[in-house]
Amino acid sequence: MALEYGIQPLKKTLDSKYKAYEKYRKEMTFSNEIKQRLNFLISQSSSFEDFQRKLPLLNLQGDFYTKSGKLKKYATYKLLDFPQQRAKRDATLSKKGDYLLKNLEAQFKKNEVVLSEDELIEGYEKIKRDVFALPDVEIIIEPWQVSQQDEDFIYLTFDYGIKNQGEVRIHKSQFLTQEDGNYKLQLKHSDFFLLVDSEHQSKSRYIKSSVLVEQLTTDNLRPPTKFYSARKEFIFALDSLNFLAQKNIHTGDQVEQYFSVLKNKLEESSEAIENVDRKIEAVVEQYKYKNPSLEVKKKLEGLYLQNEELKALHQEITKTIDQVEQISEYSLGHKERLQYVPKDKQEQKQSPKY
């Protein structure tokens, strides 16, 4: 068919590259999926034994012991609902050592109350919807940028280099259809896509999502919307605090742990807002006395959108921190009023430091 229509057939080298890429992408997916499940399990386990019991509930297999029954130096994890061949070592999942066996016990001790085994799966599904499903960036795709589509995929026209053109195939699950006929394409930083050259398939290559975003937004002059990682961490901490509140836990190490996350995200958002403000001021100053090009206008529009997103996040975190502080102060005061102290010991009682 390709020869009949004068199109160069795909070479076997491309097929081998695709298989290598698929293997790499699966490995990346495995690591991210394992970390997501571990993060949730660590926050919802009261001890190492509790942690081990809950692993299978999220389709995780952990290997912690030698044949003689001694605890290994490194643990390995494997997904039971993915075609994962090789288990992942805990040390390779985080450069900071977040998942090392020697660090887990200290994290479990902070958990004053955790989800039961019956509640665990439902709680994880909520976290997946609220946090893990959030994209890193979202861009508008106009109809003229779509070359074709089938039952499962949408193919986008992609210009690169000097007069080179190709197609990028993306699964439909990453698109949201808009009322105006456009699409919203949601991407993660870790995404890779196969770019097939229209005339020379042998020159096809894999491109990062950042390259795809840059070219497609340059073509239609629509700035991308970035979703900052601080928002995901904020939502995770907020969901965790809400869970503790439902269990009538408003103070203690576990609350303070998530409260510290909120304060860190507030500081990060403040710094990010200042950084974007400086960029806006620099562009405005540069084009104070001359008319900016469409590319500059696009860049400035993108910066304003980033600023709005960051300010909304900053306001949301500030409001949450105020609410948590009020609830914690009330809880502490309430406990203090209810505490009974015999008269002969009232003079000896010292005021607690908060």
Side-chain angles (χ1 to χ4, degrees), residues 177-195:
T177 306
Q178 304 299 292
E179 293 181 358
D180 57 5
N182 294 328
Y183 299 93
K184 276 189 178 180
L185 172 58
Q186 298 180 326
L187 301 166
K188 292 184 178 294
H189 295 318
S190 57
D191 286 342
F192 280 78
F193 301 95
L194 177 63
L195 168 61

Side-chain angles (χ1 to χ4, degrees), residues 300-340:
L300 196 57
E301 185 181 351
L303 289 171
Y304 280 123
L305 286 173
Q306 288 180 41
N307 208 333
E308 289 176 11
E309 164 70 15
L310 284 166
K311 286 181 177 178
L313 174 62
H314 185 83
Q315 187 176 5
E316 201 174 343
I317 298 174
T318 302
K319 184 179 179 180
T320 302
I321 287 176
D322 289 342
Q323 290 175 340
V324 174
E325 284 181 332
Q326 289 173 15
I327 293 170
S328 297
E329 287 173 4
Y330 172 80
S331 180
L332 281 168
H334 188 60
K335 288 179 180 179
E336 180 67 18
R337 287 193 298 274
L338 293 177
Q339 186 175 1
Y340 171 74

Side-chain angles (χ1 to χ4, degrees), residues 223-234:
T225 301
K226 295 182 181 179
F227 296 90
Y228 293 89
S229 59
R231 175 170 288 282
K232 295 184 180 182
E233 295 173 50
F234 160 67

